[in-house]
Amino acid sequence: MVAIGSNIKIRRPYEHGWSPEQVSWVCRIVLYWIKAPRCVRCRRGEPPGGKPPRLPAAPGRKATDSRRTTAPVPTSWLPVSDSTDDHDHMDVTVQRIRTTWSKRSRGFPQAALRNAAPTAFPLPADPAPMLHEVVMREENDFVPDVRIVHDLPLRHELGLRLMRDVLRVQLPAGFGVPVRNHRPVVTLQHGEWVRWQMNNRYSSMTGMADWHYVLHTVSIGFGPMARDAFLSEPDYHVDERASLR
């Protein structure tokens, strides 16, 4: 027993019948349960990683298991998300066309080349999921640079989400001017596709460079798409092209 002052007294744990070894084990078990994931403890009724440690036996008592007897949580109580998509195995075909230019191509004769740049191409004969990316730059006289990826971009790049049997599409606003706060949403049924167009103007981080311009034309098809599907009229057309000076 340790006395502090005249009226306060603190007892050591082993003066109540616990040995220092038992106190150490109790501290280890408490830290073990704090660090264990709560969802695993609730669903399995035991900590992960195998059998939990056993408490050392007190004098005259049998060693006990430190496992908590928690009843399993019914699956009907668990939250269910409306999103059932596996982003790596979506039946989605994407054609993303990006045309970039500077102030030099705003007037004749470069403007004629820029305006003649197509906004749709035939699809390659590749299965979904597929990203057909085409880039046309002013410095290359708007000659198409094609890249085919047998995967989809990250979800935040195109805003794709499979909601049970429909595909939800919400493209981000893009970088630069204009600032688009409200983002429209398109819901595609199986066999439908959308063409989404937007343009932006941007400069360097310091603002000292000339203005550069970019036109994005993104065609997204849900389900099997014919090779010439994106050359026809889309089921949905989102036109966010603004007048850029």
Side-chain angles (χ1 to χ4, degrees):
M1 183 183 298
V2 180
I4 303 177
S6 57
N7 299 323
I8 303 176
K9 295 181 179 180
I10 299 178
R11 293 178 179 271
R12 296 186 178 91
Y14 52 79
E15 293 187 8
H16 290 277
W18 289 10
S19 66
E21 182 184 1
Q22 290 175 318
V23 174
S24 175
W25 272 96
V26 170
C27 294
R28 290 173 58 186
I29 293 172
V30 170
L31 292 176
Y32 182 89
W33 280 98
I34 290 176
K35 295 180 180 179
R38 184 174 299 275
C39 60
V40 176
R41 295 207 309 264
C42 293
R43 293 180 183 179
R44 296 184 181 178
E46 62 181 29
K51 192 175 181 180
R54 297 177 65 86
L55 287 171
R61 294 187 178 183
K62 185 179 180 180
T64 58
D65 199 344
S66 63
R67 183 179 312 182
R68 294 185 180 182
T69 57
T70 305
V73 179
T75 56
S76 59
W77 295 0
L78 300 178
V80 179
S81 174
D82 290 335
S83 176
T84 58
D85 60 319
D86 186 350
H87 191 257
D88 296 333
H89 298 86
M90 286 184 180
D91 190 10
V92 176
T93 302
V94 178
Q95 184 179 86
R96 182 166 59 184
I97 302 173
R98 184 163 57 95
T99 307
T100 62
W101 67 93
S102 67
K103 294 176 64 175
R104 295 191 302 271
S105 294
R106 298 198 66 187
F108 187 81
Q110 289 288 86
L113 290 175
R114 173 175 62 84
N115 293 330
T119 57
F121 290 86
L123 290 170
D126 291 62
M130 178 187 63
L131 169 64
H132 183 214
E133 189 164 27
V134 183
V135 180
M136 293 174 285
R137 301 180 178 88
E138 177 190 69
E139 55 268 25
N140 297 332
D141 294 329
F142 301 102
V143 176
D145 181 14
V146 180
R147 184 173 70 104
I148 301 174
V149 181
H150 296 282
D151 199 357
L152 295 179
L154 297 177
R155 182 171 294 158
H156 70 272
E157 294 185 32
L158 294 178
L160 301 181
R161 184 177 292 273
L162 188 61
M163 311 294 289
R164 302 195 184 277
D165 57 347
V166 298
L167 181 67
R168 182 181 183 272
V169 183
Q170 186 179 32
L171 262 64
F175 174 76
V177 178
V179 178
R180 299 177 174 91
N181 295 320
H182 174 69
R183 306 304 306 132
V185 177
V186 176
T187 302
L188 299 178
Q189 301 289 337
H190 202 266
E192 295 181 334
W193 69 281
V194 59
R195 175 179 292 155
W196 204 306
Q197 291 182 288
M198 69 173 69
N199 56 354
N200 292 92
R201 183 190 67 188
Y202 60 94
S203 181
S204 62
M205 296 296 293
T206 59
M208 302 298 293
D210 291 335
W211 288 112
H212 285 75
Y213 304 85
V214 58
L215 171 63
H216 296 278
T217 302
V218 183
S219 300
I220 302 173
F222 182 35
M225 291 287 126
R227 296 194 59 186
D228 58 348
F230 293 157
L231 300 177
S232 60
E233 289 298 319
D235 298 294
Y236 303 93
H237 186 199
V238 181
D239 192 348
E240 293 188 288
R241 289 175 293 182
S243 178
L244 302 177
R245 60 179 178 85

